[in-house]
Amino acid sequence: MILSDFKLERYFNKHEFTAKYLLSSSDCDGFSMNYILEQATADELSLWENLHLGYTESAGHPLLLEAISRHYKTNVSKKMVVATPGELNYITMNVLLKKDDHAVVVSPSYQSLYEVIKTIGCDISYWKPNDNNWTFNSADLRQLITSKTKVIVINFPHNPTGSYLSKSELEEIITIARENNCYLFSDEMYHKLMVSDAEELPAVCDLYEKGISLWGTSKSFGLAGLRTGWIAAQDEKLIEKIIAFKDYLSICNSAPAEILTIIALNHIDAFLKPNIEKIKKNILLFKEFQEKHKNLFPNFIPPKAGSTSFVPLNDEGSALEFSDQLVENTGIMTVPSEMFEYSGNYLRIGFGRENFQEILNVLDTYLTKK
Ligand SMILES: Cc1ncc(COP(=O)(O)O)c(C=O)c1O
């Protein structure tokens, strides 16, 4: 099996730790260790201080599974597994799919959501939004389903567009999945990042017997360095298969990351709220900036949820050329639409960074001189 390069991650690899400014990150600034431990109760601190670094349980620390389960309505106590988010996507697709199966995947999307499926030898149809407002139409999804469709892959809040669904739209997707006996893999990595007046969606695993919800600490919590994610689903057999496959990859989780994740989950507001405030503030700053630079950014659809927008770019060259020149001339890293293999010229803008205004000032000076 040969996986194609993960374009977005290769581009980050090139610039993330050398560029002075990051304008396109999808995660929020990482919280410090001190901040996490300040939130902990005496019992949680004791877990941390008395931790021994042996192997950990395959599915995850029992207290971690308990902390996760409190964020779902369904009784998912035996129906969860913790691993890195990418690993969970990789394993789930390998457990669910075989060659010549068909999958429908939202597009644009985080590349691993379709690349792993492609590598298994499946056919893929891409469910695309209306690019005037980034809404996804369920009638279009219905058209894409075939007798071979095994899984539908969605991601709301959506990276990169910031698109979101209403509850009735999500229910319609579940109806389509149920009628066609498909699994619904729901990448909910940006769950609870509610940055507009949109109503928060329930997790798909709480609504659908073949729903699979993926969430983790990287985006909603501002704790990407924990490398922790989890899957919750009603299908206990599926979870068992994922845990068994994990024996060939990480086997078990990082013991320190597990304890820190327990603390984060038990004090979620201390992480979520500052992130949401920061994103909202930065959306307003970008709106003002875009009004001033309408020639270059003719339109801006603010995220309904999540931390990113996909902003149309009106430049002579490609979005990749623009991003390459920008990082070279100013040290500002942006992610161009080429990294999402999506046609048209767009830049992903990420709103989760404290120094957003400073970056816009540098960009403003560059564009004014250009
Ligand atoms: C939609 C989506 N799913 C999964 C991931 C992977 O999360 P992590 O970086 O924590 O592995 C990302 C990361 O950007 C993402 O945007």
Side-chain angles (χ1 to χ4, degrees):
M1 171 198 320
I2 298 169
L3 283 161
S4 301
D5 271 0
F6 198 138
K7 293 200 166 102
L8 175 94
E9 297 298 351
R10 287 295 91 210
Y11 201 66
F12 266 104
N13 188 265
K14 195 165 161 193
H15 298 297
E16 188 173 8
F17 296 100
T18 48
K20 193 164 174 201
Y21 305 108
L22 301 177
L23 187 55
S24 286
S25 298
S26 58
D27 57 331
C28 299
D29 296 298
F31 285 100
S32 69
M33 278 294 296
N34 281 348
Y35 184 83
I36 303 177
L37 294 176
E38 271 164 26
Q39 314 309 316
T41 60
D43 284 351
E44 289 160 356
L45 263 188
S46 157
L47 277 177
W48 176 248
E49 284 162 2
N50 297 305
L51 182 67
H52 289 249
L53 297 183
Y55 285 109
T56 61
E57 294 191 38
S58 284
H61 192 301
L63 288 176
L64 175 55
L65 298 182
E66 199 185 308
I68 294 170
S69 72
R70 282 198 287 271
H71 292 276
Y72 296 92
K73 288 201 184 70
T74 315
N75 178 5
V76 285
S77 50
K78 277 196 183 158
K79 300 163 185 170
M80 291 169 296
V81 46
V82 179
T84 71
E87 185 180 9
L88 289 167
N89 168 55
Y90 180 83
I91 296 177
T92 307
M93 295 313 162
N94 275 281
V95 163
L96 286 184
L97 298 169
K98 58 180 190 331
K99 192 172 176 301
D100 297 332
D101 284 339
H102 176 254
V104 179
V105 185
V106 280
S107 172
S109 69
Y110 190 64
Q111 190 174 336
S112 56
L113 293 179
Y114 56 87
E115 200 65 49
V116 173
I117 298 176
K118 219 193 255 177
T119 310
I120 295 168
C122 301
D123 295 323
I124 304 185
S125 300
Y126 295 97
W127 185 29
K128 295 190 174 169
N130 174 340
D131 56 17
N132 289 321
N133 55 13
W134 297 134
T135 55
F136 287 82
N137 183 340
S138 58
D140 295 342
L141 171 63
R142 200 177 270 284
Q143 294 278 319
L144 298 172
I145 305 285
T146 74
S147 58
K148 289 185 162 182
T149 309
K150 266 277 197 51
V151 65
I152 299 168
V153 178
I154 58 173
N155 163 226
F156 297 101
H158 183 240
N159 170 20
T161 66
S163 179
Y164 203 50
L165 303 170
S166 65
K167 176 119 188 273
S168 62
E169 285 171 324
L170 180 60
E171 279 164 352
E172 178 63 19
I173 295 169
I174 291 171
T175 302
I176 294 170
R178 192 177 274 127
E179 280 171 9
N180 292 282
N181 196 26
C182 298
Y183 280 96
L184 182 58
F185 183 91
S186 178
D187 178 323
E188 296 162 8
M189 287 301 291
Y190 301 80
H191 190 40
K192 291 187 182 289
L193 282 180
M194 301 310 302
V195 298
S196 73
D197 54 7
E199 193 193 337
E200 185 183 315
L201 292 174
V204 158
C205 67
D206 281 335
L207 300 179
Y208 180 39
E209 58 285 358
K210 293 184 88 172
I212 304 164
S213 289
L214 170 70
W215 192 19
T217 59
S218 301
K219 318 294 181 181
S220 321
F221 293 81
L223 297 171
L226 293 181
R227 310 306 309 122
T228 300
W230 53 88
I231 271 182
Q234 293 179 37
D235 185 339
E236 211 172 309
K237 287 218 163 67
L238 173 70
I239 296 291
E240 277 167 19
K241 284 185 194 164
I242 296 173
I243 295 169
F245 197 119
K246 190 182 155 188
D247 291 343
Y248 284 98
L249 296 169
S250 59
I251 301 175
C252 65
N253 308 309
S254 146
E258 288 198 323
I259 305 303
L260 297 170
T261 305
I262 291 172
I263 299 170
L265 281 161
N266 288 347
H267 305 274
I268 186 167
D269 283 347
F271 298 88
L272 205 50
K273 280 192 175 159
N275 288 342
I276 290 173
E277 271 166 34
K278 200 186 308 177
I279 294 168
K280 281 181 162 175
K281 188 179 86 190
N282 290 339
I283 290 171
L284 294 179
L285 292 175
F286 190 76
K287 180 76 201 140
E288 211 175 285
F289 181 88
Q290 178 256 339
E291 293 283 343
K292 184 171 171 197
H293 294 281
K294 270 211 150 147
N295 281 345
L296 188 65
F297 300 118
N299 194 12
F300 168 47
I301 302 160
K304 280 197 178 144
S307 57
T308 61
S309 273
F310 212 35
V311 180
L313 179 77
N314 178 31
D315 200 35
E316 286 146 19
S318 67
L320 176 59
E321 281 161 357
F322 178 88
S323 292
D324 282 346
Q325 282 164 21
L326 185 66
V327 73
E328 197 180 314
N329 291 313
T330 65
I332 300 174
M333 182 199 172
T334 48
V335 171
S337 35
E338 284 86 342
M339 301 306 134
F340 288 91
E341 302 184 299
Y342 194 74
S343 65
N345 275 352
Y346 300 90
L347 293 184
R348 181 176 78 180
I349 301 296
F351 301 99
R353 299 298 169 119
E354 197 58 54
N355 63 347
F356 195 78
Q357 177 69 75
E358 185 191 348
I359 305 176
L360 291 187
N361 291 344
V362 177
L363 182 56
D364 182 57
T365 307
Y366 171 70
L367 295 178
T368 311
K369 276 194 206 149
K370 206 178 162 205

